[in-house]
Amino acid sequence: MIPLSWYLTLAAALFAIGLYGVLARRNAVAILMGVELMINAVIINLVAFWRYLQPTGISGQVFAVIVFAVAAAEASVGLALIISIYRRRNSVVAEEMNLLKW
Amino acid sequence: MDISQIIFLIVATATLISALMVVTTRNLVHGALWLIVALFGVAVVFVLLEAGFIAVVQVVLFIGAIAILIIFAMMLTRRALSDEPHQTNSQWPISALVAAASFVALTGLTSFLPDWQWPSLAASDSAQLSGNLQQLGYALVQPNQFALPFQVASVLLIVALIGAVAVAGEKK
Amino acid sequence: MQIEYVWLIPVPPLLSFFIIWLLTHRSKTLSHTVAVGSIALSWVLSWVTVFNAIGVEHFGEDVIFAGSVPWLPTGDTVLRMGVLVDPLTAVMLFFVPLACLMIFVYSVGYSNYGKPEDSHDLPGNPPHNGVEPMYSRFFCYLSLFAFGMLTLVVADNLLLMFIGWEIMGFCSYALIGFWYGRNYDDPKKITPRQAAVKAFMTTRVGDVVMMLGIVYLYFATTTEQAKEILGANAGTLSFRAMFYNEEFLQYIAAEPSFVAGLSIAALTGILLLVGTVGKSAQFPLHVWLPDAMEGPTPVSAMIHAAAMVSAGVYAMIRLFPVLSAGWHEGDPLTPPMLVLGTIGAFTALFAATIAFTQNDVKKVLAYSTISQLGFMLAALGIGGYVAAAFHLMTHAFFKALLFLGSGSIIHGMEHGMAHAEHGSHSHEHIDPQDMRFMGGLRSKMPWTFWTFLIGGMALSGFPLITAGFWSKDEILLDGWLHAQPVFWTLFIAATLTAFYTTRQLIMVFFGQPRTQAAEHAHESVWTMTAPLVILSFFAITTGWLNIPTEFPGLGSIAHNLGIDHWLGHFVMGTLLPEEVVEGVEPAVEGFIWQPLAASIIAALGGIALGYLVYRNAYKTADDKDPMEFLGPMHTFLQNKYYLDELYHNLFVRPAQWFSETVAYKFLDKSLIDGTLHTVGRTAVTVGNFFKRAEKYTIDNPPIYLSDGFKWVGKSFRVIQTGRVQNYLLIGMLIAVLFGAVYLYQIWAGV
């Protein structure tokens, strides 16, 4: 049997790696890829908890399905924004998007 | 050590390594391809968790749609020149530190909860799994179950769709 | 019924003053119409009053026209203001408005009304041949002057009289200095502005002393004893209340004043007469009158004949009861009478000696006026009440006549100068008023000549047919009977009067014209000659109002007609029966021939002397005056005894020094301004100190505070990089921190 904690650890690691990608990458698309990793970590967590705590309920799966939908929506909108920004400023380097700088 | 545990370990390692490659590679397209591998690994983990439908959705959605979308975006936002010399920004050391700290914090939670009984799988549960697709379908449309979140999610998708088109569309 | 008319008498000229000043001053015709109309109205009202008064039996003793209103409550007494017509007032009302009317009408012609405005004539300077630029202003001032005089005449109390007195003082200043812009090249010659100030200052000296007299007299009416005597009339200055009260007069004659040796009456009398010495130009305050000739000639006539100087004599006549309080026929003279008589007689002679050395036609008349006023005041001083009033009246007529005549002469000369220039004869720059440049005007200006002759004869006292003879005779009679020194002084003065008058007549009218201007002179307009004719009528006939009963021949004719001593009888009603003095009840029975002989000798002798000396003199303008044989004496007299220079050095220069050095430089600049400047500087220094202190303690700390905030803000804003990843990093950092804290708590077993 795979203990639950292994799954959680895996999810935690994936989450941390995704976090590093978000914080440390220059290209905006690379940042988005990090966000996808983090979302995946969350879904792993969700499904693991569903399997180990409430396997007979359906709400875990439904939650996961909703999360998928949200992730898809978020990815599409994010990429559309990146494309729009690229059109404006001809660059997708996140460091250069500092209009809100004081 | 179970066979499932071994499989899990292999899959987990592969996923983590590919995830690391995603966030460290200089070539962005390579990164996208490594992302696909990582997502596949996650799908296998879902299968290990006996959530077949979720696994398939993962493959179809994440890999088939989102990863492709990411590759498209990369293609559309490519500059005439080649890739940047390095892909990490100025704050990467601290980010690594923060990421590590968050990993420690998250895993620490699992170690520091003495009262909590870690559940274990019962063999009999497998038979009563509600991975039944029909049950899932019903759950999503029954008004006394999850119809509302379902509708809201669909509205969200519509909004996202229109928003994406509006944002990314060419201004005439 | 009569009272309503009386108080209206001074009002028309006052209204005229305001109307001209405020409304009609742009229109010359309207202005002079208003002015002449107003004085004519006053004249009509006055003569109505006079003839009413004459028709009343025992006017003055039993009946007077009077009315007053309570005006100034002062404690338990009330000062009343009102009008009074008693015989003396009636006499004044007879000639004052008439003379003023003549002068007003004359002024229309004198100011060249009808001629176009000449652009060379500047306002403030006499016009050359155009109409006077300040035409309306002239009539405005004249109206105010007439108002002042008429107020003085009808006043029933000393205060109102004094008010009229002062109004005339101002008007004399305004009118003498009428041509304010006129300046002379010769610095010795006095300008109209300076003359006006001189007149005002000199009469002011007299007025101040007079005011002291008035105050003291008022005080005398408020003492305990006076309150007993006067009863309800205490605290009054009313003539009738004070002077028609024998007990009061005796009281003030007996009661000693605070000056040793003088009773209240004596002190008051002396103080009051100083006012007349100023106003009527007696020695030593006479210096303003000759220089007042700088004013236009109608002004000279008004001031020096009809109005102002007459006011001085009138005041003395009116105040005679004070001057003579306690005096009866035969007593030695009271101190005021003594002073008055002395000053009057001295001035009469003094001025006459100066008059025959003067070359300006108006200056001769000025000194003549001073001299004649001396006659009047001398007469009054020795008790000749009627004589003084009589001479006042006749003098007003013939002196006004002479002044207006001189104005006509001057105008004729100016016209002659203009004609001579136009005829391209040589440009003579001559003074049109200088008699040496005249001559032969008899044929050029006949009306002026005949009327001036009548006036001059009246002044000299030509026997029988001129008014001057009768009044001067009356004075000499009083002198002979009461004070021989006065008699002889006045006799010599009368002789000199005739002498210089003849001199003037010959120099101006007889002989051949000595200059082109005189050659081309011509007669003046009817508005100027008609008043001359009217005045000369009165200069002849008014003498017959007071023919003495004892006069040989004419006296009995007059007695049969009932007009002998008519004026004397009439005027005596002003005084209490006990005040009767010589003039009505002759102290000596029968006719006294010496004064009559003296006046005839003085008149005819003086005329003859003048004729002899001057008939062949002055063939040309540069001839020496025959009287210059007197040598240095003549120069001394011609320079008026150097009195002006004496006064200048004695009074004017010290006063100027005082005001310049002490008052201005020391008091004003050093003391007062210095104090102010020091206070100012101190305030500025203190202010600067506070400014610096404030900068460090009050201004800067808030800046430090705000700078601190700014620094804090600046330090913190570095985290606003605008980059999402930075924000996210910080967020995650905090989250990890929280997580660490939570875990620690769990681990520590909390």
Side-chain angles (χ1 to χ4, degrees):
Chain A
M1 295 283 93
I2 306 169
L4 176 59
S5 55
W6 286 22
Y7 285 106
L8 298 184
T9 313
L10 168 65
L14 210 56
F15 185 84
I17 292 168
L19 184 63
Y20 174 75
V22 167
L23 291 178
R25 297 286 275 176
R26 284 178 63 126
N27 196 311
V29 184
I31 294 173
L32 213 71
M33 291 198 292
V35 174
E36 297 308 320
L37 285 174
M38 287 160 81
I39 291 176
N40 274 287
V42 167
I43 298 180
I44 292 176
N45 249 354
L46 269 176
V47 176
F49 274 121
W50 164 71
R51 179 66 184 84
Y52 278 78
L53 295 181
Q54 274 258 320
T56 52
I58 197 68
S59 38
Q61 290 207 358
V62 171
F63 200 161
V65 168
I66 302 292
V67 173
F68 272 116
V70 171
E74 165 261 333
S76 60
V77 172
L79 290 166
L81 279 171
I82 290 172
I83 290 174
S84 171
I85 287 174
Y86 176 75
R87 282 219 191 93
R88 272 293 182 104
R89 298 176 138 248
N90 217 25
S91 150
V92 282
V93 176
E95 271 181 329
E96 291 174 15
M97 310 298 163
N98 60 356
L99 281 176
L100 280 179
K101 184 172 155 112
W102 61 263
Chain B
M1 184 77 52
D2 250 307
I3 183 74
S4 55
Q5 288 181 350
I6 298 172
I7 297 174
F8 174 77
L9 279 170
I10 296 170
V11 173
T13 317
T15 309
L16 288 174
I17 289 175
S18 45
L20 265 168
M21 293 314 293
V22 168
V23 296
T24 54
T25 180
R26 261 186 242 152
N27 192 334
L28 271 182
V29 182
H30 288 179
L33 295 172
W34 282 115
L35 180 70
I36 292 174
V37 174
L39 294 173
F40 261 120
V42 173
V44 174
V45 167
F46 287 145
V47 171
L48 281 172
L49 278 169
E50 293 179 62
F53 177 66
I54 304 293
V56 174
V57 170
Q58 160 86 353
V59 173
V60 168
L61 208 105
F62 259 98
I63 301 170
I66 292 174
I68 303 298
L69 198 58
I70 286 176
I71 292 172
F72 268 114
M74 260 184 228
M75 288 197 298
L76 286 173
T77 61
R78 193 164 276 282
R79 282 209 231 157
L81 302 168
S82 56
D83 298 33
E84 297 288 314
H86 50 91
Q87 283 287 352
T88 49
N89 64 12
S90 53
Q91 64 178 25
W92 70 265
I94 307 184
S95 314
L97 214 67
V98 168
S102 64
F103 172 69
V104 168
L106 284 168
T107 50
L109 274 175
T110 59
S111 330
F112 283 107
L113 297 170
D115 292 341
W116 197 60
Q117 293 290 346
W118 286 97
S120 58
L121 287 173
S124 59
D125 291 334
S126 304
Q128 291 156 0
L129 275 180
S130 60
N132 197 344
L133 208 53
Q134 192 178 23
Q135 262 190 316
L136 182 62
Y138 274 130
L140 282 177
V141 296
Q142 292 278 354
N144 55 349
Q145 286 187 313
F146 297 101
L148 191 59
F150 183 64
Q151 295 299 329
V152 172
S154 59
V155 169
L156 176 70
L157 286 172
I158 286 286
V159 168
L161 171 70
I162 296 171
V165 169
V167 166
E170 298 250 346
K171 299 274 187 276
K172 291 288 187 286
Chain C
M1 189 244 338
Q2 290 84 358
I3 279 306
E4 281 72 40
Y5 291 153
V6 173
W7 74 262
L8 276 176
I9 291 174
V11 172
L14 181 67
L15 288 178
S16 155
F17 167 72
F18 281 117
I19 291 174
I20 297 177
W21 173 30
L22 295 172
L23 297 176
T24 69
H25 61 271
R26 282 200 214 289
S27 158
K28 297 186 176 40
T29 315
L30 269 180
S31 298
H32 81 222
T33 312
V34 170
V36 173
S38 69
I39 191 67
L41 186 60
S42 292
W43 170 65
V44 167
L45 289 172
S46 315
W47 273 29
V48 166
T49 313
V50 168
F51 286 110
N52 271 323
I54 293 175
V56 174
E57 281 273 340
H58 292 296
F59 188 66
E61 291 173 50
D62 301 334
V63 183
I64 50 161
F65 305 146
S68 66
V69 292
W71 193 64
L72 186 65
T74 52
D76 48 355
T77 56
V78 173
L79 192 69
R80 298 183 75 91
M81 286 281 171
V83 295
L84 168 72
V85 178
D86 62 7
L88 181 59
T89 316
V91 170
M92 296 294 287
L93 282 177
F94 175 72
F95 71 86
V96 165
L98 178 60
C100 290
L101 177 62
M102 293 298 107
I103 292 167
F104 273 59
V105 173
Y106 181 88
S107 301
V108 173
Y110 187 79
S111 301
N112 290 338
Y113 177 73
K115 292 217 180 112
E117 279 211 16
D118 191 343
S119 55
H120 293 304
D121 288 334
L122 300 165
N125 285 85
H128 290 122
N129 286 306
V131 73
E132 162 71 57
M134 300 194 290
Y135 192 82
S136 303
R137 187 193 287 212
F138 191 67
F139 281 99
C140 190
Y141 285 151
L142 275 186
S143 303
L144 189 64
F145 205 137
F147 165 68
M149 184 64 189
L150 291 171
T151 306
L152 180 138
V153 166
V154 301
D156 83 331
N157 62 75
L158 197 44
L159 190 59
L160 191 56
M161 189 182 96
F162 192 64
I163 291 173
W165 184 278
E166 290 292 347
I167 293 176
M168 289 199 291
F170 163 70
C171 287
S172 75
Y173 166 79
L175 283 167
I176 292 171
F178 188 69
W179 288 322
Y180 53 82
R182 193 174 197 188
N183 287 312
Y184 299 116
D185 296 326
D186 182 1
K188 287 249 174 63
K189 218 157 147 15
I190 195 168
T191 64
R193 277 212 325 269
Q194 293 169 330
V197 172
K198 187 173 179 180
F200 198 68
M201 286 290 137
T202 317
T203 52
R204 198 89 199 104
V205 171
D207 292 345
V208 166
V209 180
M210 186 176 199
M211 179 127 236
L212 290 175
I214 294 177
V215 168
Y216 194 56
L217 188 60
Y218 177 76
F219 160 72
T221 62
T222 57
T223 59
E224 283 308 315
Q225 201 169 350
K227 282 199 192 147
E228 265 180 43
I229 299 175
L230 291 170
N233 280 328
T236 179
L237 285 168
S238 157
F239 297 132
R240 206 70 188 166
M242 290 194 292
F243 303 152
Y244 227 69
N245 189 330
E246 176 68 25
E247 231 189 300
F248 181 70
L249 291 174
Q250 278 175 348
Y251 159 66
I252 60 174
E255 191 73 15
S257 67
F258 59 84
V259 173
L262 290 175
S263 64
I264 293 181
L267 180 61
T268 315
I270 291 179
L271 290 175
L272 289 170
L273 73 87
V274 174
T276 297
V277 167
K279 229 10 165 236
S280 293
Q282 300 297 294
F283 182 87
L285 294 175
H286 66 281
V287 290
W288 64 270
L289 199 146
D291 290 324
M293 296 296 121
E294 293 300 323
T297 309
V299 170
S300 306
M302 188 98 173
I303 295 180
H304 305 130
M308 206 163 95
V309 298
S310 304
V313 178
Y314 165 75
M316 283 297 99
I317 301 179
R318 178 58 83 192
L319 295 169
F320 186 71
V322 174
L323 298 175
S324 65
W327 180 81
H328 298 287
E329 182 69 34
D331 289 346
L333 299 175
T334 64
M337 289 170 80
L338 201 56
V339 172
L340 193 59
T342 314
I343 290 180
F346 175 75
T347 309
L349 185 57
F350 170 78
T353 56
I354 300 178
F356 72 83
T357 63
Q358 298 298 310
N359 288 322
D360 185 318
V361 62
K362 280 170 71 172
K363 289 262 194 321
V364 175
L365 295 175
Y367 284 104
S368 161
T369 307
I370 300 175
S371 177
Q372 295 300 305
L373 292 168
F375 269 81
M376 295 177 224
L377 293 174
L380 197 61
I382 58 178
Y385 187 82
V386 172
F390 189 25
H391 197 58
L392 179 62
M393 181 173 73
T394 59
H395 172 264
F397 283 121
F398 62 69
K399 195 42 73 61
L401 170 60
L402 285 170
F403 268 114
L404 296 186
S406 75
S408 176
I409 294 169
I410 294 167
H411 255 38
M413 288 290 289
E414 284 177 346
H415 295 153
M417 280 165 71
H419 282 194
E421 282 184 14
H422 285 177
S424 74
H425 293 274
S426 57
H427 273 241
E428 314 168 295
H429 289 286
I430 60 165
D431 183 2
Q433 296 183 305
D434 196 324
M435 296 193 292
R436 293 173 293 190
F437 301 132
M438 300 178 192
L441 290 181
R442 177 180 52 157
S443 45
K444 311 276 189 249
M445 308 172 70
W447 288 97
T448 309
F449 167 62
W450 282 106
T451 52
F452 200 89
L453 184 65
I454 292 171
M457 289 299 111
L459 176 57
S460 313
F462 194 83
L464 294 182
I465 56 168
T466 60
F469 165 72
W470 295 102
S471 52
K472 211 176 286 194
D473 184 45
E474 195 75 30
I475 294 178
L476 288 176
L477 179 64
D478 278 322
W480 176 260
L481 289 175
H482 296 136
Q484 295 264 327
V486 170
F487 171 77
W488 287 110
T489 314
L490 292 181
F491 169 68
I492 301 173
T495 315
L496 280 174
T497 305
F499 176 70
Y500 66 66
T501 309
T502 314
R503 169 181 181 261
Q504 185 171 33
L505 280 166
I506 294 178
M507 276 177 84
V508 172
F509 291 108
F510 291 92
Q512 293 301 314
R514 288 188 281 279
T515 56
Q516 290 299 325
E519 179 70 41
H520 289 94
H522 65 81
E523 187 59 85
S524 308
V525 296
W526 70 269
T527 46
M528 286 168 77
T529 52
L532 294 178
V533 171
I534 296 173
L535 284 172
S536 51
F537 168 75
F538 284 100
I540 296 174
T541 56
T542 43
W544 298 329
L545 286 174
N546 200 34
I547 302 174
T549 325
E550 322 71 45
F551 202 79
L554 284 175
S556 24
I557 301 177
H559 187 73
N560 291 336
L561 286 172
I563 62 167
D564 58 316
H565 266 306
W566 179 85
L567 191 71
H569 283 288
F570 183 66
V571 166
M572 287 314 297
T574 316
L575 300 173
L576 290 168
E578 289 80 26
E579 292 283 338
V580 162
V581 293
E582 176 58 35
V584 179
E585 323 274 350
V588 181
E589 282 297 325
F591 176 62
I592 306 167
W593 62 269
Q594 289 93 332
L596 180 60
S599 29
I600 294 181
I601 292 172
L604 294 177
I607 294 172
L609 207 58
Y611 176 70
L612 285 172
V613 172
Y614 280 95
R615 69 181 160 149
N616 289 320
Y618 279 108
K619 293 283 191 273
T620 67
D622 301 319
D623 276 351
K624 276 183 17 142
D625 194 301
M627 292 307 289
E628 283 185 24
F629 78 88
L630 291 170
M633 187 66 182
H634 188 261
T635 320
F636 188 63
L637 290 176
Q638 196 167 35
N639 284 317
K640 307 161 266 172
Y641 294 83
Y642 293 109
L643 265 183
D644 279 321
E645 288 78 359
L646 181 69
Y647 283 172
H648 183 72
N649 285 319
L650 204 55
F651 298 117
V652 176
R653 281 182 48 195
Q656 281 176 338
W657 171 85
F658 183 77
S659 78
E660 178 91 31
T661 310
V662 176
Y664 174 60
K665 286 205 185 115
F666 176 65
L667 281 179
D668 211 29
K669 286 217 307 206
S670 308
L671 217 56
I672 296 177
D673 282 357
T675 313
L676 288 176
H677 290 326
T678 312
V679 169
R681 274 199 297 270
T682 313
V684 169
T685 312
V686 170
N688 275 335
F689 167 72
F690 277 126
K691 185 165 93 167
R692 276 203 302 275
E694 197 190 347
K695 190 155 83 146
Y696 291 122
T697 56
I698 296 178
D699 287 349
N700 281 354
I703 296 179
Y704 298 151
L705 194 65
S706 67
D707 279 350
F709 278 122
K710 266 209 304 212
W711 175 82
V712 167
K714 249 201 226 167
S715 322
F716 268 100
R717 75 176 169 185
V718 290
I719 63 174
Q720 299 289 333
T721 58
R723 298 185 193 144
V724 182
Q725 290 175 305
N726 297 136
Y727 298 159
L728 197 52
L729 177 66
I730 292 170
M732 285 314 300
L733 214 63
I734 305 293
V736 162
L737 233 60
F738 277 162
V741 167
Y742 180 60
L743 286 175
Y744 170 76
Q745 286 180 340
I746 292 177
W747 176 73
V750 176

